[in-house]
Amino acid sequence: MTVAVSVVVPEGLVFAADTRQTFRNERGDIKVSSEHGRKVFQLTSKAAAVTWGWGFLTRRNINSLVEEFKLGLDTAPSLPVEEVARQLRRFFVAKYNQEIENKWSQPVPEDSYATGFLVGGYDPGETVGKVYECWVPGEKEWLIQSTDRPGANWRGTEDAISRLIKGYDRRLRQLSGFTPELEQELKKGPLDYLTRFGSMPLQDAIDYAIFLIHTTIEMQRFSDGILIEPGESAGCGGAIEVLVVRPQDGVRWVQQQELRGERALHADLGAPL
């Protein structure tokens, strides 16, 4: 379970996600396996991605597979962002097919997907940043945002953010009084909080992404699902990783977990060294 966010403003692109990694054990319980799962990635000097969905394929975590994918991108700095997204999707579709062929997992329904990516950056010589979405399995990638059409996207565990920003979440459709007419009305966004992304500085975009992820983590911490779907696991947590992509200097990490040894860990915990 993941909360993945992209925020697009005229100054650049922001990608952020939590770092909790979970799995379902033999009893069917959801267990936290790590607070250090990498879900935000630098793909090239001017392209990045964030993922959600399955955390493992071919018995490896997604980060290790992304690192393998990057080894085959020798000409990546000159590739358009759409082509980077296309190659990433094809790479992971092959891994997904391997997962299913070896019967390590059951295939997802035809109208669903196992893993998703938001891939964004700047094409060579361009000043307009773009964000594409692709699914695995899937056969295409599509443009969802650009710096001349700014906004925010959130994927994975969406309910807390959707309730806050849009005024409802998808489970509203389960209520007996829900009608097709209401659904069409909600699609117009009458309850959406108005956010001026077109005039938002990049620092505020970073703060906004972190705010959305913290909101999800804390709501899961203090709640146990909702009345019609009780017993929710706290699948989002850990540190929040954030990077930005700007036209002038490309990808830059804002906050990222660093590898550390025992001495640093003891210092963090306040233990004597």
Side-chain angles (χ1 to χ4, degrees):
M1 302 171 72
T2 296
V3 53
V5 173
S6 72
V7 184
V8 179
V9 296
E11 291 181 33
L13 318 174
V14 179
F15 294 92
D18 71 302
T19 53
R20 179 164 292 174
Q21 192 169 277
T22 62
F23 72 99
R24 191 177 296 276
N25 66 15
E26 296 298 323
R27 285 180 26 170
D29 298 331
I30 295 178
K31 303 281 288 184
V32 175
S33 62
S34 178
E35 300 283 36
H36 306 287
R38 296 281 173 99
K39 305 172 186 179
V40 182
F41 316 105
Q42 177 176 355
L43 299 179
T44 75
S45 61
K46 286 203 169 184
V50 62
T51 188
W52 69 97
W54 288 9
F56 306 90
L57 279 170
T58 65
R59 300 184 174 180
R60 294 168 57 186
N61 65 45
I62 297 298
N63 182 61
S64 72
L65 294 171
V66 169
E67 291 301 314
E68 178 185 332
F69 163 75
K70 288 163 62 176
L71 292 175
L73 278 176
D74 294 337
T75 59
S78 63
L79 286 177
V81 178
E82 184 176 11
E83 181 60 25
V84 175
R86 181 175 297 115
Q87 291 193 29
L88 183 72
R89 173 182 56 79
R90 289 173 175 170
F91 175 89
F92 273 93
V93 167
K95 295 297 182 182
Y96 170 82
N97 291 336
Q98 183 182 347
E99 176 87 12
I100 302 307
E101 289 166 4
N102 283 281
K103 301 186 185 304
W104 292 327
S105 298
Q106 294 296 315
V108 296
E110 289 188 7
D111 59 347
S112 185
Y113 60 92
T115 300
F117 291 91
L118 298 178
V119 182
Y122 290 82
D123 292 345
E126 295 292 330
T127 58
V128 175
K130 302 173 184 177
V131 176
Y132 293 85
E133 183 166 1
C134 58
W135 296 346
V136 176
E139 299 180 350
K140 65 177 182 177
E141 44 288 319
W142 57 96
L143 181 68
I144 62 168
Q145 210 87 63
S146 61
T147 53
D148 56 2
R149 189 168 55 87
N153 303 280
W154 49 89
R155 300 289 187 271
T157 304
E158 301 182 4
D159 53 286
I161 300 174
S162 293
R163 283 185 172 214
L164 177 63
I165 304 300
K166 302 191 72 63
Y168 70 99
D169 74 45
R170 56 179 173 76
R171 293 169 294 188
L172 185 66
R173 296 174 176 83
Q174 299 178 31
L175 301 183
S176 59
F178 189 79
T179 64
E181 291 76 17
L182 178 58
E183 181 164 26
Q184 291 303 312
E185 192 66 25
L186 289 173
K187 286 181 178 179
K188 301 175 184 178
L191 303 177
D192 289 14
Y193 272 116
L194 298 178
T195 305
R196 307 301 181 185
F197 293 104
S199 59
M200 180 180 285
L202 187 59
Q203 181 60 62
D204 288 348
I206 293 167
D207 295 344
Y208 188 80
I210 294 172
F211 158 68
L212 294 182
I213 295 172
H214 265 311
T215 297
T216 300
I217 291 173
E218 294 304 308
M219 182 54 70
Q220 288 191 345
R221 174 188 173 198
F222 291 115
S223 69
D224 190 30
I226 61 175
L227 188 61
I228 60 173
E229 289 186 7
E232 181 181 42
S233 298
C236 300
I240 297 173
E241 292 196 320
V242 185
L243 62 69
V244 298
V245 192
R246 300 190 295 183
Q248 63 271 36
D249 55 7
V251 176
R252 173 191 164 193
W253 283 97
V254 176
Q255 56 189 46
Q256 179 187 28
Q257 292 189 105
E258 298 290 342
L259 297 177
R260 61 187 185 185
E262 186 177 23
R263 182 179 179 88
L265 177 61
H266 282 178
D268 288 347
L269 296 176
L273 300 178

